[in-house]
Amino acid sequence: MPPQLQAALDRTTAAIKQFTVAQRTLAVIGIAGVLLGAFALSSWLGKPTMSPLFTGLSGSDASAVVDQLTSDGVKYQLTDGGSTVLVPDSALYSERIKLAAAGLPTNADGGGYSLLDDMPMTSSEFQQQKTYQRAMEGELAKTISAIDGVETATVKLAIPEDSVFVSEKSDPTASVFVRTKPGVTLSVDQVQAVVHLVSAGIDGMKPTDVAVVDATGEVLSAVGTGTTGGVAGQQASDYEARVQASVQALLDRVVGPGKSAVTVTAQVDQTQKDTTVEQFSATPDTPPLAQSTTSEEYTGSGSTGAAGVLGPDNIAVPNGDATGTDGAYKSTTEDTTNAVNKSTEVTHAGPGAIERQSVAVVLDEKAAAPLDMTELRSTIAAAAGIDETRGDTVAVQAVPFDTAQATAAQDALAAADKAAETQRKDDLVKQAAIGAVVLLLLLSVAVAMARRSRRARRTALDLGELPVLGEGGSRLGIEGIAADALPELPPAPRDDEPDLVTRKRAEISALADEQPAEVADLLRGWLATSGSGRR
């Protein structure tokens, strides 16, 4: 081992041996903490960034993908219950290409139009129709599964066969089963999106011919009626919350926050109606579209014979008037077709119309004292969109509010804030104390190591046996330095030190520790004096 390295190792070993048990314990703890921190930091820095390779995998596909990754020696992680596989970013695209070449995952292209690729040429017309229907069902199911919150989806189509009789033709229908992710509920807009997505993908299908059912068995959209059940109630709840928020915001500015309460109840019509209105109106300034006139005229001589007049049961009445006539006849008929305006209006009323709503407002009696309740009621009715013709009502009442709970809640919040502030201060004090202790320990260790290192650098000199000076002897002197200027050794009691030489050596060692520079100069003077005497 090189001398420099051996000397450094010896100094380090000597410094460690000078440590007390407490200092050694703290040093070991500090070194262990530094090593653990360095290991954790290196592990975090060396951990690769993971990205999803595939999501929404079935159990068989996930197993096949994991086997392929294991054979390739690629690290992976499984999330979302095993349906999502994560791999490092460096191997993401290369593994996708390898898995695609191996035909994995199988459900990526399964069930859609890929069914038509394997159809044999000898398939019957029935097989072709059913395979095409299965392909459409698979494509619609994959599209619906891409909606946020939907885990899996299944679509079943009921497409009637073509018939030459128009009266016997029926509309196609569809049923959709959706399984949502845990804790997720489909909103009204999402259900409507599923309905319109399926109806627009099938020729001749209406949105009202699509039924949507979730995994809990709740009917979200029924055939013929549209959205029903919980979705219909959600429409009413959304409308009530919107009106309540607008009225509450108005009252908070008028009477102040916490001094009013608003409740809105709405009845939503879930029926779907189609109305057709035809109106006709004449245009007097427009010439007629067609006009025709027919005239008939006959001329002949009258009868001169006595014919009499027929009575009841075709019996001639005696003495009847038999006076003859001239036999003339004339008739005129005029037919005119005027221009008439025709307007046809078709109205499709979907579900969601408000049939009736009621708004109840309660104000704090003290806050409502300076207000005009009649004007305030009119303002609330305008903000809530009240229509009295359909039976909407507004009730406004001023009552004394119970502020005990609000005061208790405010006190609890103040106490929680105070406790949090106190805890924050205590944490700061603890952190400062820990930091001060650690800093003090580090300074103590640094000072101790510096002292041990300085002592280790001193050169040990063998002074031999020093001569004992008597009482009348002179003190040692150095050239150029007066004897009185030299430091005196501290006296020591003679009864405690039986050996005078040992006592002197101890005093010289103590003086060398306290005043090393002066002792070094003294030694140099001794050496110079002894050298000159020998010469």
Side-chain angles (χ1 to χ4, degrees):
M1 182 178 294
Q4 296 82 359
L5 184 60
Q6 183 65 36
L9 182 61
D10 292 342
R11 288 196 300 269
T12 304
T13 305
I16 293 175
K17 290 182 179 179
Q18 297 297 329
F19 288 176
T20 62
V21 177
Q23 291 176 345
R24 292 178 182 179
T25 304
L26 291 177
V28 171
I29 294 175
I31 294 173
V34 172
L35 293 177
L36 290 176
F39 177 75
L41 182 60
S42 61
S43 300
W44 180 75
L45 293 176
K47 186 177 180 181
T49 304
M50 309 296 284
S51 298
L53 180 63
F54 292 107
T55 59
L57 296 176
S58 61
S60 58
D61 287 338
S63 176
V65 170
V66 168
D67 292 340
Q68 184 67 29
L69 294 176
T70 303
S71 63
D72 294 341
V74 178
K75 297 181 180 180
Y76 64 89
Q77 292 181 0
L78 297 177
T79 58
D80 295 338
S83 61
T84 300
V85 181
L86 303 178
V87 297
D89 289 341
S90 58
L92 178 62
Y93 299 106
S94 59
E95 288 300 321
R96 280 185 181 177
I97 295 174
K98 291 182 181 179
L99 292 172
L104 295 175
T106 58
N107 64 347
D109 296 326
Y113 288 124
S114 61
L115 295 175
L116 303 177
D117 299 336
D118 301 331
M119 185 180 296
M121 297 180 60
T122 58
S123 59
S124 62
E125 183 179 359
F126 176 77
Q127 290 178 338
Q128 294 178 0
Q129 292 178 352
K130 293 303 179 183
T131 304
Y132 178 68
Q133 181 174 339
R134 290 175 55 198
M136 289 192 298
E137 292 175 352
E139 290 293 330
L140 291 173
K142 288 193 297 183
T143 306
I144 295 173
S145 299
I147 298 177
D148 292 339
V150 178
E151 185 175 357
T152 57
T154 304
V155 179
K156 299 296 181 182
L157 300 177
I159 302 177
E161 298 180 357
D162 295 336
S163 176
V164 296
F165 301 100
V166 180
S167 61
E168 296 180 359
K169 185 178 181 179
S170 57
D171 296 332
T173 59
S175 60
V176 181
F177 172 81
V178 293
R179 181 187 299 276
T180 58
K181 296 180 180 179
V184 177
T185 302
L186 293 181
S187 62
V188 179
D189 296 336
Q190 289 178 321
V191 175
Q192 291 293 336
V194 172
V195 169
H196 289 286
L197 177 66
V198 176
S199 62
I202 306 301
D203 185 19
M205 182 177 293
K206 300 177 181 178
T208 55
D209 294 334
V210 180
V212 181
V213 182
D214 63 0
T216 61
E218 184 178 359
V219 179
L220 305 179
S221 179
V223 175
T225 58
T227 55
T228 58
V231 177
Q234 187 176 358
Q235 287 182 340
S237 300
D238 294 342
Y239 176 80
E240 293 172 356
R242 185 169 60 254
V243 174
Q244 181 178 356
S246 61
V247 176
Q248 188 67 58
L250 175 64
L251 293 176
D252 288 343
R253 289 180 173 271
V254 175
V255 297
K259 297 182 180 180
S260 62
V262 181
T263 302
V264 180
T265 303
Q267 296 180 2
V268 181
D269 186 10
Q270 297 299 328
T271 59
Q272 186 170 358
K273 301 177 182 179
D274 296 335
T275 305
T276 303
V277 178
E278 293 184 353
Q279 294 181 353
F280 299 90
S281 61
T283 56
D285 297 336
T286 304
L289 298 178
Q291 186 175 11
S292 62
T293 303
T294 304
S295 301
E296 295 180 353
E297 185 176 357
Y298 298 97
T299 304
S301 59
S303 177
T304 56
V309 179
L310 294 179
D313 300 330
N314 294 329
I315 300 175
V317 180
N319 300 327
D321 189 1
T323 303
T325 61
D326 55 1
Y329 172 77
K330 185 177 181 180
S331 176
T332 302
T333 303
E334 183 177 358
D335 188 5
T336 303
T337 302
N338 296 320
V340 178
N341 291 333
K342 178 183 178 182
S343 61
T344 303
E345 181 181 358
V346 179
T347 304
H348 300 281
I354 303 300
E355 293 182 344
R356 183 176 178 273
Q357 67 173 342
S358 301
V359 179
V361 178
V362 178
L363 303 175
D364 188 6
E365 187 176 17
K366 297 180 180 179
L371 300 178
D372 188 352
M373 301 302 291
T374 304
E375 294 182 356
L376 182 60
R377 182 183 181 279
S378 301
T379 304
I380 294 174
I386 298 298
D387 187 1
E388 295 182 356
T389 58
R390 65 184 179 189
D392 296 351
T393 59
V394 178
V396 181
Q397 187 177 4
V399 296
F401 273 24
D402 184 10
T403 59
Q405 296 181 355
T407 304
Q410 187 175 2
D411 295 341
L413 291 175
D417 294 340
K418 184 177 180 180
E421 183 67 20
T422 304
Q423 183 66 28
R424 187 179 66 84
K425 292 181 179 179
D426 293 342
D427 294 340
L428 291 176
V429 172
K430 290 180 181 179
Q431 293 176 1
I434 294 173
V437 171
V438 172
L439 182 60
L440 183 59
L441 291 176
L442 292 177
L443 290 176
S444 302
V445 172
V447 172
M449 293 181 66
R451 288 183 177 179
R452 297 298 184 274
S453 177
R454 186 178 61 185
R455 292 180 181 178
R457 287 195 300 267
R458 295 171 183 166
T459 303
L461 297 176
D462 188 7
L463 301 178
E465 185 176 355
L466 297 176
V468 181
L469 299 179
E471 295 180 357
S474 61
R475 299 178 60 185
L476 294 177
I478 301 176
E479 295 181 357
I481 302 176
D484 297 336
L486 294 177
E488 295 182 357
L489 295 176
R494 295 181 179 273
D495 53 351
D496 294 338
E497 188 65 33
D499 189 358
L500 181 61
V501 176
T502 303
R503 182 174 60 82
K504 291 295 183 179
R505 288 182 176 179
E507 292 175 354
I508 293 173
S509 298
L511 182 61
D513 291 338
E514 295 177 357
Q515 298 178 353
E518 291 80 357
V519 174
D521 295 336
L522 181 63
L523 291 177
R524 292 190 191 97
W526 289 351
L527 293 176
T529 304
S530 61
S532 60
R534 290 177 182 177
R535 289 194 296 268

